[in-house]
Amino acid sequence: MPHLLRNRTYDAGALARWGELDAERRRLLTAVEAMKAERNTLSAEVGRKKRAKEDASAEMERARTLGVEVAAQEKRVEEIEGEFFAIEQTLPNVPQESVPDGEDSDANAVLKSWGEPTRFPFAPKPHWELGPALGILDFERAAKVTGARFTVLSGEASLLSRALIAFMLDLHTHEHGYREVLPPFIINGASLFGTGQLPKFEADLFRLQGTDWYLAPTAEVPVTNLHRDEVLRDDQLPISYCAYTPCFRAEAGAAGVGTRGMIRVHQFDKVEMIQIVRPEEGYAALEQMVQCAERVLQAMGLHYRVVLLCTGDMGFASAKTYDLEVWAPGQGAYLEVSSVSNCEDFQARRMNLRFKREADGHNVFPHVLNGSGTALARLFVALVESYQQADGSVVVPEPLRPYLRADVLRP
């Protein structure tokens, strides 16, 4: 198994322990079956001797001893299976064979790029200078209200954010065939386990004190879990959902890592795409979802690139992931605005989600896919920085003008 989890982040010692437990469990089950067989033989012999009015006390004592030993061994098997489950919860998905091998983002593969970076006759400013100058972003008052890494959007920024959400939902529902849902923004632990956030990433979640409820880190969690513990009909697939949610992330351990402005914040908006498909359709669906996310960036006229993540940089539940990174000229850097993944049947198994295949009547785990379509904060950043003008104003991209009823944001 370790070779299948090449360069994935997991505890190798725990996996070795899993192997030891598996060997012990197999040995115990073999011993238990042998003892049960002997006990059955003894039971038959006891019956025969009693009918023949012979002394069966030795056989009865041996059967009693075997019963005690079987109970003890079965209890140990239960303990092993509990430890099994605890270890298995922490093991990531197995990478699909086309995923490049590598330890970190340096081994990711840039597959394509679209458009060209905006050329400026002046030095472009980052959004943390543009926004306050326009009077539409306020980091200081957000820090006063809550704390660091929060933002107040006001006036045209609020309109622009709302316009982006509406545009993306309209695009994915009207043109890409997704069904819009508006899920709860508070979710339970079972939902987070189903998609793989729990137990491994609890430190990155906001939990409501004294409850089993958490603030949603992404719409992936509530929307994917809509069909948890269900057996779907074959003709219900494929299922395609899109949803807007605010996202809440503690980002534990991320302090100081690209946290200025709106790049890595505790609260942001996102439009998410989810697909549940037959296993043989999973990777075609993955490519289609990437194209849906690309359409958002193309409509905004933003330069971006598509990156195939290596084994060491993928998410816990993913078997294969593409990132879409948009160019932010004010920072001279690419920002990830979409991550599109096929989790194969990893999440379906954790959620006990199946479908009954019409051809043979078997219950089968489907492939479950998720993708940002896209994340708002960084898309907002890329738009403001890419469309800034020398006088500090920002031109509104054509597709958003009907929503904003404006073509320029001015100081």
Side-chain angles (χ1 to χ4, degrees), residues 153 156-166 269 376 380 404:
L153 282 69
E156 290 85 351
S158 300
L159 289 173
L160 180 56
S161 179
R162 183 152 44 96
L164 284 166
I165 293 168
D269 294 317
L376 264 292
F380 180 100
L404 266 74

Side-chain angles (χ1 to χ4, degrees), residues 138-152:
D138 195 326
F139 302 105
E140 293 181 2
R141 288 190 173 90
K144 177 172 64 176
V145 169
T146 309
R149 291 157 63 186
F150 287 88
T151 310
V152 173

Side-chain angles (χ1 to χ4, degrees), residues 111-302:
L111 302 183
K112 61 177 280 191
S113 64
W114 187 92
E116 296 290 336
T118 307
R119 308 286 183 186
F120 295 92
F122 57 90
K125 296 179 180 179
H127 69 283
W128 56 76
E129 294 179 11
L130 285 166
L134 282 166
I136 61 174
L137 297 180
D138 195 326
F139 302 105
E140 293 181 2
R141 288 190 173 90
K144 177 172 64 176
V145 169
T146 309
R149 291 157 63 186
F150 287 88
T151 310
V152 173
L153 282 69
S154 62
E156 290 85 351
S158 300
L159 289 173
L160 180 56
S161 179
R162 183 152 44 96
L164 284 166
I165 293 168
F167 170 77
M168 288 188 284
L169 289 173
D170 287 346
L171 177 69
H172 297 319
T173 55
H174 299 162
E175 296 188 25
H176 299 154
Y178 286 78
R179 179 180 178 84
E180 182 181 348
V181 295
L182 185 61
F185 302 157
I186 296 176
I187 50 183
N188 58 30
S191 296
L192 288 157
F193 175 81
T195 47
Q197 280 81 10
L198 285 180
K200 187 175 178 64
F201 302 105
E202 184 159 16
D204 289 322
L205 302 170
F206 287 110
R207 184 171 186 171
L208 278 65
Q209 187 173 4
T211 74
D212 184 43
W213 289 353
Y214 298 77
L215 300 182
T218 167
E220 170 196 349
V221 182
V223 177
T224 304
N225 276 275
L226 291 176
H227 295 289
R228 187 175 76 239
D229 293 320
E230 293 184 17
V231 179
L232 303 171
R233 299 189 314 273
D234 200 340
D235 62 4
Q236 287 180 269
L237 302 183
I239 291 173
S240 300
Y241 290 133
C242 70
Y244 154 73
T245 63
C247 304
F248 304 92
R249 299 184 184 180
E251 298 281 10
V257 183
T259 55
R260 191 169 186 185
M262 298 172 65
I263 304 304
R264 191 180 292 272
V265 289
H266 292 303
Q267 176 186 323
F268 62 95
D269 294 317
K270 188 164 66 153
V271 171
E272 187 82 359
M273 301 176 289
I274 298 294
Q275 286 203 38
I276 302 170
V277 305
R278 301 174 188 88
E280 62 271 20
E281 299 167 355
Y283 282 97
L286 178 64
E287 301 298 326
Q288 183 261 340
M289 290 179 72
V290 171
Q291 292 173 11
C292 291
E294 285 187 81
R295 281 277 290 111
V296 174
L297 304 180
Q298 291 169 4
M300 296 298 109
L302 294 172

